[in-house]
């Protein structure tokens, strides 16, 4: 399949081009779809369960990195991170 990836600065520009036929499809954050004035003109064919988040730590601060890894592992083991995903993805 031949396609080109185009990046937009704002969801408004993205949906304007989608509505005007300048692009054929989009992958966007769900919140962008929900606030789009074009929502009733779009066919949402699928949702993706991919979330990218990160925590940046100065690479020289090994103690902080170790402690954050320990706490995140503990929260994941206890199921708390999954609870947060469920709470904030609805």
């Amino acid at each position: 399949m031949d396609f080109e990836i185009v990046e937009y600065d704002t969801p408004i520009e993205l949906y304007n081009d989608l509505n005007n036929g300048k692009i054929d499809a989009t992958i966007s954050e769900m919140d962008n779809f929900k606030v789009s004035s074009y929502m009733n003109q779009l066919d949402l064919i699928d949702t993706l369960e991919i979330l990218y988040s990160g925590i940046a730590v100065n690479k020289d601060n090994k103690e902080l990195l170790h402690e954050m890894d320990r706490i995140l592992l503990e929260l994941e083991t206890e199921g708390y991170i999954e609870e947060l995903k469920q709470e904030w993805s609805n």
Side-chain angles (χ1 to χ4, degrees):
M1 190 178 256
D2 185 30
F3 63 91
E4 177 185 354
I5 296 175
V6 179
E7 294 182 27
Y8 289 85
D9 292 328
T10 68
I12 293 169
E13 293 173 297
L14 168 77
Y15 292 115
N16 283 338
D17 279 3
L18 185 63
N19 190 51
N20 295 327
K22 291 182 181 177
I23 60 173
D24 297 315
T26 183
I27 298 174
S28 184
E29 293 181 14
M30 195 61 173
D31 288 344
N32 292 341
F33 285 113
K34 291 176 183 175
V35 299
S36 169
S37 61
Y38 300 120
M39 187 62 191
N40 60 345
Q41 300 169 24
L42 302 174
D43 287 327
L44 182 61
I45 58 170
D46 204 354
T47 59
L48 305 173
E49 295 297 324
I50 301 171
L51 300 173
Y52 294 102
S53 298
I55 302 171
V57 177
N58 184 315
K59 66 181 180 180
D60 295 329
N61 195 339
K62 306 289 187 206
E63 183 180 342
L64 177 59
L65 178 61
H66 175 72
E67 186 66 9
M68 290 178 74
D69 283 343
R70 185 190 67 73
I71 291 169
L72 287 170
L73 180 60
E74 182 180 319
L75 293 173
E76 186 174 17
T77 302
E78 293 173 356
Y80 184 70
I81 291 179
E82 186 60 35
E83 288 176 25
L84 288 175
K85 285 180 187 177
Q86 295 300 317
E87 179 181 342
W88 292 100
S89 66
N90 293 331

